[in-house]
Amino acid sequence: MCGIIGYTGKKNIAQELVVGLEKLEYRGYDSAGIAYCEHGKLVAVKAVGRISELKKLTEVSRPDSACGIGHTRWATHGRPTLVNCHPHLSYGGKFAIVHNGIIENCKQLRAFCESRGVSPVSDTDSELIAHLLELCFDGDLRRAADKVAEMLKGSFAVGVLCSCRPNEIYAFSSRSPLVIGEGKNFCALASDGNALSGVDTLVFLKDGESALLRPSGAEYYRKGKRVNPPAAPFSSASALSVKDGFAHYMLKEMYEQPEAAARTVAALSDVRLRGALTFIGCGSSYHAGLSVLPLAEHVLRKPSYACLAGEFICSERVKRRGTTAVLLSQSGETADTVAAALEAERRACRTFAIVNVPSSTLTRVCKRHAVTRAGPEIAVATTKGFTSQVIAVAAMLTRGQTADSVKRLPFAMEKALAAAETQEAEEAARLLAISPDVFFIGRKADYGVALEGALKLKEITYINALGISSGELKHGSISLISDGTPVVVVHTDPSLREKTLLTISSVRARGGFVIGITDDSDVCAASDLAVRIPHCDPFLSPAVSVLPLQSIAYRAAVLLGRDVDKPRNLAKSVTVE
Ligand code: M6R
């Protein structure tokens, strides 16, 4: 979701900004642009579509300033067009801004601008910020920005260039991530510190803070007063990765899963999760929570729940002290999950974040946190993010024999990846690629995996897929099954064998084509096609059984010629509620 970059004190500013934007590509976007000062005038260069288009436009740009801002836009207000693309210039050309977040009172602000004779040209909420800055400007940029920040309701991270101060960037934020980096003779800002090159230290702007960036360093302010927020050293270990010869990041990341799992277990085995747990997350992170729920209840003997972050914030469910809200998020930046964490704090729950990105917002919002060791995940569709979350929770819940089984999971994952390369998996992918509708079913720990399998297929192939509990099929959805409808059955728990076999036979009786993902010989035999996975503890199986589902979805997407790493309409990091 939208990404911000900015540098002051860098030669070849246009090219530097484009490199930074490339590092933010993983967040998802549909247009991109940069702005800088040339001969005292602000210039914006923009392109719809891929950053490669912007790169072509800026290849020969050699502005006389060493300062600029850039942005990748993920459309929320208005279509992905050049006019809606950032940076936005103010009506008199004095300001250029980039913005991430959502301005909730944009209607009123638009009316305010219009009442002052300023007509916005785009459909965006962001453009208004540029006009408001110019309307409020009396020669003091900081005062104008503070005034504007006060007028804005919602979430925002904003980078500002002013034509009167061509070597300065002003930045301010509230409820949207923005990090300031300092290096030798330059200063930078970004939505994600990993996008910055050559910086030595990072400062994460807190809600209501602002920063004035000059090549010599940054000054920080809160309510008009200078402050000195703590700076963290920049770790190059978190630098973004490359494809290493794989056709796609998703494929590479799928194969990294056993190693990521081993690193995560090693790092988190001494951390403990206790009490009644409520797992909270969105998308795949919610599915990870659902998948570990049976394990949590089995080990802790306390009622536990899994809840969508977006539902948690509007439900009354958890109000008791003593509940631990476990916030699951690969990015640590998902706005719904951050809002849920704040709400959980308000309800006096203990908050515990499990994220894959160190220093992300959730680590600062929650009382405790643990970091999975999946390494940077670039593909929009998560793979190693999901399995690392499952494994992190398993490592933090188990002791003794089960903890040993957790340590052995990476080996089972290696075998499951091999199973995902078989003829059967290929056949399954071919069948799904030509099917308009696909069902994924499972129960207990397999339920979360079924939902995750359906989500993976939807995300990257655009095929309609429904994940559903096996037991629920007969309560309505079975009416959709007819000749040849593929039904992917995830089965890893021997105690459910009879139930699974009955479900399979009722699907086949209606002409459904059953694809079994299982370690069970009877379930294999009852399926039309089966991908056999290695046997493991059924409470831990989600980290293993999901692998063939990822692989089948990946292959189907490749067969259909989809943009696997950057599927349409999706953002890696969903930073709006
Ligand atoms: O970064 P998070 O784990 O908080 O992201 C949550 C979801 O947006 C994410 O899992 C999404 O569903 C993925 N695209 C799934 O592949």
Side-chain angles (χ1 to χ4, degrees), residues 34-70:
I34 61 170
Y36 46 77
C37 212
E38 178 138 57
H39 309 306
K41 271 186 81 176
L42 289 171
V43 178
V45 187
K46 309 178 184 192
V48 173
R50 294 287 170 227
I51 288 179
S52 48
E53 298 303 316
L54 179 67
K55 203 171 185 172
K56 283 184 213 154
L57 297 176
T58 53
E59 243 154 23
V60 291
S61 307
R62 294 281 177 270
D64 52 4
S65 85
C67 177
I69 50 178

Side-chain angles (χ1 to χ4, degrees), residues 282-285 328-334 337 380-382 389 452 455-456 459 570-574:
C282 300
S284 298
S285 293
L328 293 160
S329 174
Q330 188 285 128
S331 61
E333 301 292 353
T334 301
T337 314
V380 165
T382 185
Q389 288 169 341
E452 179 58 7
L455 183 66
K456 282 288 88 77
E459 282 187 293
L570 298 184
K572 180 71 182 160
S573 185
V574 184

Side-chain angles (χ1 to χ4, degrees), residues 176 293 302 376 399 466 565:
S176 194
L293 203 53
K302 296 240 161 75
R399 283 175 190 197
L466 178 68
D565 286 335

